[in-house]
Amino acid sequence: MSNPKHDKGEHYITTPKAEPFLERLIFNNRALILIAFLVLTAFLGYNASKIQPDASFERMIPLEHPYIVNMLKHRDDLENLGNFVRIAVEVEEGDIFTQEYMETLKLITDEVFYLDGVDRSGLKSLWTANVRWVEVTEQGFQGGTVIPDGYDGSRDSLEQLRQNILRSSEVGRLVADNFKSTVVYAPLYETNPETGEPLNYGEFSKQLEEKIREKYEAQNPNIDIHIVGFAKKVGDLIEGISSIAYFAGITILLTTLLLFWYSRCVAGTLVPVFSSIIAVVWLLGALRLLGYGLDPYSVLVPFLVFAIGISHGVQIVNAMAIEAAKGFDPLMAARLAFRALYIPGMLALISDAFGFLTLLFIEIDVIKDLAVAAGLGVAIVIITNLVLHPLIMSYIGITKGGVRHVQNHGEKQDRKWRIMSYFAHPSVAPISLLIAVLGLGLGVYYKQDLKVGDLDQGAPELRKDSRYNQDNAFIIDNYSTSADVLVVMVKTPVEECTQYEVLRAMDRLQWELQNTPGVQSSVSLADVSKIVTKALNEGNWKWYDISRNQTIINASIREAPAGLINTNCSLTPVLVFLEDHKAETLETVVERVEEFAGNHSNEEHTFLLAAGNAGVEAATNEVISGAKNMMLLFVYGVVSVLCLLTFRSVRAVLCIVVPLGLTSILCEAIMAVSGIGIKVATLPVIALGVGIGVDYGIYIYTKLERYLLEGMPLQEAYFETLRSTGKAVMFTGVTLGLGVVTWIFSPIKFQADMGFLLFFMFLWNMIGAIWLLPALARFLLRPEKMLAKARAGK
């Protein structure tokens, strides 16, 4: 059975032979295809159950950036590469000079020593042998470990410990300025040296909580433990992933209720949800087979895949309900729905996939992984949504309640659609365009304040009141060496890193940096030389300088601490401790260092940026800043080319793309006003929002073009478009928005930010397609020329 009116106009959009062939291939082999789906779902479902959380320090940084290249090239010569944890053991009452406190600190140091992944040779604590004191006496240099020989916890040995700490350089570093806490510093390997496997940050963080914090706070109620560092931050993020299951349940329940309210059909409710869940299962199984895990950034992709599946599933339910209301049986209604939606559905989903894949141009592995996951997910939705969904519905069909709902609400809805069709009216369209231009102006004005990078202290990926950020605030308040370290590497010929000119240049750099906003303190070999030279001259401050006598310099750095000089004296670092890693702080400090390096690097010494976690952040910010505009260009370029190939009209492309562009600009303005920077977590939102948002415009324009080619005036054509697909588009926008808005309550801040931004983009892209697209069509489209061209082509 065929409906000539339904087929009319579709031939102008695609080749008449393509649809019947695919339609016959799918619907003439329904049982066989469904069996194949069942087998494949069982196989991929088994693999999906095996997928594991995954995170890696190197996958979260731009490995090809010059800063990171320098850091990795010299990683064996440096400490403080950014992958470490600092465990501050605080005493609530009294100070650290008690037998009970020191015994607890010793036990914690021993416990940390045996944690998987700890670089034991670099472990530092008051109890480790590499923490020493040095002084000059009449007999020469004297020194030893900070813990006195023969320490027994007595009053005398504790007093000796106090003197040793004061004579060391550890106050403000390993020991708090107020003597109420000390730090256990533990550098980490990227791979577990015992197993050779990448360090499991989730498990490592769990060990820190169970074996360190919980255990020793319970044993000693006077002790509070604070833990910071990349591994702990990522571990907390992975722990937050577990809460995703609750949001997944809420999203599925909410979507199911809204679908039933929309369709009044049990099948029209459960089948789209089922098909979308199958798509998520396939995605997780495929990712596991390809060797991927779920990191804290890509864990939200399954949500998006589910949302995209529901988005297109609503269109199928809507189309089948309309055909069923005309009297078609379930099989023919499914075939006609497939025939009507095959081209716009394929175009929308391919646009989604290519939009996501543009993220591959960003040289950060976690974003590339997100791009692969999102692109693969959309490819799977093409199969589950355009094949599995209509095949299941061809057996079940729309229930009588669903058909009655379509028939009974036709007249009431027509009044609503008639009012909304005035968006295409000659008098209303200019007002819409004026409002859009005003919105564009406001967006451009406010987005000027948009920053690249983090805008808050601590870990902006987590809530301000999270345990990690409270711990980080404690470290900043009580220690002069913060958790944000920028390492400037000074490269020299072999055995020349202690030359006078080299140390003098380092000293000048430190002076400039210590007078730079955002810098807390700095340490280098030059400091060691000055301190020891002063000590060698009876502590006279006149000698607190770098001597021009190379013999004196060599004597002064003989006992330089590990990490300030490499084995062949060809590299020495300047450690710069920052107040925070905000975008503005990093930009200011890095600019100052680069300017200095450009003026003072020569054949004898070269200043290289940058190691340390702040150096990594600075490199990441530069990559994101450079990639943002390129990514947007590719996203809009891909979407525009696909629309142009399908509709063969630049005017059509403008009608679809311009509303998307307005939404992107408004989104960036909202980010600036809300204090959300562009970073690894938020950059993909822009591509994801555009990729999914284009679906609305494609569905609206496809129907609008069809009715225009039938000879209808623009406003009447838009009225028919709203009647046939407007409800589905509006419902989809609201459902998608409500689905992601639940993320706002996530304990992980960047997930909350993503949820807020995607909620805005989904709604505004829908509004743009319903409100702005017809206004643009009033000025851009020429229906009579379109009709004449179509007839000539026919």
Side-chain angles (χ1 to χ4, degrees):
M1 188 172 183
S2 178
N3 188 340
K5 184 179 179 182
H6 193 283
D7 294 338
K8 187 178 179 182
E10 297 292 341
H11 303 290
Y12 300 127
I13 299 175
T14 186
T15 352
K17 296 180 180 178
E19 280 181 0
F21 170 74
L22 284 172
E23 190 178 313
R24 288 196 304 273
L25 180 66
I26 293 171
F27 287 93
N28 291 351
N29 299 281
R30 291 186 296 168
L32 187 63
I33 291 175
L34 287 176
I35 291 173
F37 268 104
L38 180 63
V39 173
L40 198 53
T41 300
F43 172 70
L44 291 174
Y46 171 78
N47 282 280
S49 67
K50 302 293 184 181
I51 197 166
Q52 296 292 326
D54 182 29
S56 164
F57 176 67
E58 292 189 357
R59 288 177 56 248
M60 294 185 181
I61 61 179
L63 295 176
E64 297 184 12
H65 190 280
Y67 293 179
I68 307 302
V69 171
N70 290 335
M71 182 186 82
L72 296 179
K73 182 179 179 181
H74 301 290
R75 68 186 309 166
D76 293 335
D77 296 324
L78 295 169
E79 295 182 357
N80 271 325
L81 282 177
N83 200 2
F84 60 86
V85 291
R86 297 172 74 189
I87 304 168
V89 184
E90 178 195 14
V91 59
E92 292 184 4
E93 296 182 4
D95 57 26
I96 63 173
F97 300 109
T98 65
Q99 181 178 4
E100 185 181 26
Y101 175 87
M102 292 305 299
E103 183 61 28
T104 300
L105 180 65
K106 183 177 186 298
L107 292 173
I108 291 174
T109 302
D110 292 341
E111 196 87 57
V112 173
F113 183 85
Y114 289 106
L115 291 179
D116 294 336
V118 170
D119 178 3
R120 293 163 185 168
S121 64
L123 182 70
K124 286 185 179 181
S125 156
L126 291 184
W127 280 98
T128 58
N130 55 0
V131 178
R132 303 178 64 82
W133 62 272
V134 178
E135 71 174 355
V136 180
T137 67
E138 293 177 353
Q139 288 76 35
F141 280 100
Q142 289 186 350
T145 58
V146 169
I147 296 292
D149 293 337
Y151 172 85
D152 58 6
S154 65
R155 183 185 300 273
D156 289 342
S157 61
L158 287 170
E159 182 57 33
Q160 184 62 50
L161 172 64
R162 181 192 297 270
Q163 295 301 320
N164 289 351
I165 289 175
L166 291 173
R167 288 183 291 188
S168 74
S169 58
E170 300 301 341
V171 177
R173 298 178 187 176
L174 285 184
V175 181
D177 298 329
N178 59 3
F179 295 106
K180 291 184 70 67
S181 67
T182 67
V183 162
V184 178
Y185 170 86
L188 304 178
Y189 291 112
E190 184 61 23
T191 58
N192 188 326
E194 295 180 2
T195 64
E197 297 291 324
L199 183 61
N200 186 327
Y201 290 112
E203 184 60 32
F204 184 78
S205 175
K206 186 177 179 181
Q207 289 182 359
L208 288 174
E209 290 295 332
E210 294 178 354
K211 294 185 177 181
I212 306 298
R213 197 195 310 262
E214 293 176 5
K215 177 179 178 180
Y216 290 99
E217 284 185 347
Q219 287 183 6
N220 189 341
N222 196 36
I223 291 294
D224 278 335
I225 294 177
H226 311 271
I227 309 173
V228 299
F230 175 83
K232 189 66 182 77
K233 179 178 73 174
V234 174
D236 287 356
L237 291 176
I238 292 173
E239 183 182 351
I241 290 176
S242 60
S243 66
I244 294 296
Y246 297 107
F247 295 110
I250 293 171
T251 298
I252 292 172
L253 178 62
L254 187 60
T255 302
T256 303
L257 293 175
L258 289 172
L259 269 173
F260 184 75
W261 173 81
Y262 170 80
S263 65
R264 299 296 199 278
C265 171
V266 175
T269 299
L270 297 181
V271 174
V273 172
F274 174 75
S275 299
S276 298
I277 292 175
I278 292 296
V280 171
V281 171
W282 280 28
L283 171 64
L284 296 177
L287 288 175
R288 198 253 178 179
L289 289 173
L290 293 172
Y292 290 92
L294 282 180
D295 59 61
Y297 299 94
S298 62
V299 73
L300 298 179
V301 171
F303 275 86
L304 294 175
V305 170
F306 178 80
I308 294 169
I310 292 295
S311 169
H312 294 274
V314 168
Q315 297 289 341
I316 291 175
V317 170
N318 182 65
M320 282 196 65
I322 292 173
E323 301 301 337
K326 296 176 183 177
F328 292 113
D329 61 42
L331 176 58
M332 184 51 64
R335 294 182 74 127
L336 291 173
F338 175 86
R339 193 178 304 170
L341 297 174
Y342 165 70
I343 289 301
M346 286 286 289
L347 173 61
L349 289 168
I350 291 172
S351 297
D352 293 349
F354 277 99
F356 300 157
L357 291 176
T358 58
L359 293 170
L360 290 172
F361 290 99
I362 300 171
E363 297 295 335
I364 299 175
D365 285 346
V366 288
I367 294 184
K368 289 184 176 181
D369 292 351
L370 188 149
V372 170
L376 181 62
V378 172
I380 290 171
V381 169
I382 292 176
I383 300 171
T384 57
N385 193 77
L386 294 178
V387 180
L388 177 63
H389 186 180
L391 283 184
I392 296 176
M393 291 299 292
S394 71
Y395 283 102
I396 302 174
I398 301 295
T399 61
K400 293 180 180 179
V403 174
R404 282 197 302 271
H405 182 64
V406 171
Q407 293 171 336
N408 295 341
H409 288 75
E411 184 179 344
K412 181 180 178 181
Q413 287 180 352
D414 281 355
R415 290 197 299 270
K416 177 174 64 178
W417 303 136
R418 180 64 69 185
I419 293 171
M420 294 180 65
S421 72
Y422 275 87
F423 289 140
H425 191 275
S427 300
V428 177
I431 298 174
S432 295
L433 292 183
L434 179 61
I435 293 172
V437 170
L438 290 174
L440 176 65
L442 287 172
V444 170
Y445 174 77
Y446 282 107
K447 78 189 261 321
Q448 294 178 96
D449 296 327
L450 183 62
K451 303 291 185 182
V452 174
D454 295 329
L455 304 183
D456 299 305
Q457 287 185 338
E461 298 91 344
L462 301 168
R463 300 281 186 181
K464 285 186 177 180
D465 59 354
S466 68
R467 182 63 188 263
Y468 182 90
N469 280 330
Q470 290 177 1
D471 289 347
N472 187 75
F474 175 85
I475 296 291
I476 292 173
D477 292 342
N478 290 276
Y479 292 84
S480 58
T481 55
S482 71
D484 296 310
V485 186
L486 177 74
V487 180
V488 182
M489 294 161 279
V490 185
K491 182 73 175 169
T492 69
V494 174
E495 302 297 341
E496 294 188 15
C497 70
T498 61
Q499 295 299 306
Y500 170 79
E501 292 297 335
V502 176
L503 297 184
R504 174 60 67 189
M506 292 166 64
D507 193 42
R508 289 196 197 102
L509 172 61
Q510 288 181 257
W511 185 87
E512 287 203 19
L513 290 176
Q514 285 166 353
N515 288 279
T516 299
V519 174
Q520 195 177 55
S521 63
S522 66
V523 176
S524 78
L525 203 58
D527 294 316
V528 175
S529 181
K530 290 193 293 184
I531 291 170
V532 175
T533 300
K534 177 175 76 79
L536 287 170
N537 290 275
E538 300 179 350
N540 192 324
W541 281 97
K542 292 181 178 180
W543 288 89
Y544 186 71
D545 202 352
I546 299 169
S547 174
R548 291 180 178 272
N549 187 317
Q550 192 61 44
T551 303
I552 295 177
I553 291 176
N554 293 341
S556 69
I557 54 88
R558 187 175 300 159
E559 301 294 332
L564 289 183
I565 186 171
N566 68 346
T567 53
N568 64 1
C569 192
S570 63
L571 185 136
T572 178
V574 177
L575 308 182
V576 186
F577 299 96
L578 308 180
E579 293 177 358
D580 52 61
H581 56 265
K582 294 181 182 178
E584 188 176 355
T585 301
L586 291 177
E587 188 176 339
T588 302
V589 175
V590 166
E591 184 179 339
R592 185 67 59 88
V593 174
E594 287 186 337
E595 182 182 353
F596 183 90
N599 294 332
H600 294 83
S601 293
N602 53 43
E603 294 180 359
E604 296 178 356
H605 54 268
T606 305
F607 290 86
L608 302 175
L609 281 165
N613 64 314
V616 171
E617 291 279 353
T620 303
N621 289 354
E622 285 195 10
V623 168
I624 289 176
S625 180
K628 171 181 165 290
N629 293 331
M630 182 184 70
M631 183 203 71
L632 280 175
L633 181 65
F634 275 106
V635 168
Y636 280 99
V638 166
V639 168
S640 299
V641 168
L642 289 173
C643 290
L644 184 61
L645 290 174
T646 302
F647 299 112
R648 308 294 177 88
S649 166
V650 174
R651 297 172 185 271
V653 173
L654 291 173
C655 288
I656 294 171
V657 170
V658 168
L660 294 177
L662 176 61
T663 301
S664 291
I665 290 172
L666 291 175
C667 179
E668 291 188 11
I670 284 181
M671 290 175 68
V673 172
S674 304
I676 301 173
I678 297 180
K679 47 194 175 183
V680 173
T682 54
L683 179 64
V685 170
I686 301 172
L688 297 174
V690 173
I692 297 176
V694 71
D695 298 357
Y696 308 129
I698 289 173
Y699 278 117
I700 291 289
Y701 187 85
T702 300
K703 289 291 185 180
L704 180 63
E705 183 189 56
R706 170 187 167 184
Y707 292 120
L708 289 174
L709 292 176
E710 291 182 0
M712 293 184 184
L714 178 61
Q715 186 173 346
E716 189 63 24
Y718 189 56
F719 169 68
E720 293 295 334
T721 298
L722 291 172
R723 286 185 66 196
S724 59
T725 198
K727 179 183 177 183
V729 166
M730 293 179 68
F731 172 80
T732 299
V734 172
T735 304
L736 287 179
L738 292 177
V740 297
V741 80
T742 57
W743 301 357
I744 291 175
F745 303 102
S746 170
I748 300 178
K749 180 65 166 57
F750 81 79
Q751 290 179 353
D753 290 342
M754 289 181 78
F756 169 66
L757 295 175
L758 285 173
F759 170 72
F760 172 81
M761 294 193 80
F762 287 162
L763 286 185
W764 269 97
N765 280 325
M766 179 269 289
I767 291 170
I770 295 289
W771 157 68
L772 190 54
L773 189 153
L776 290 166
R778 170 60 63 184
F779 288 92
L780 293 174
L781 298 187
R782 300 289 183 267
E784 62 283 353
K785 290 186 178 180
M786 292 170 61
L787 189 57
K789 184 177 179 181
R791 286 172 177 168
K794 184 178 177 181

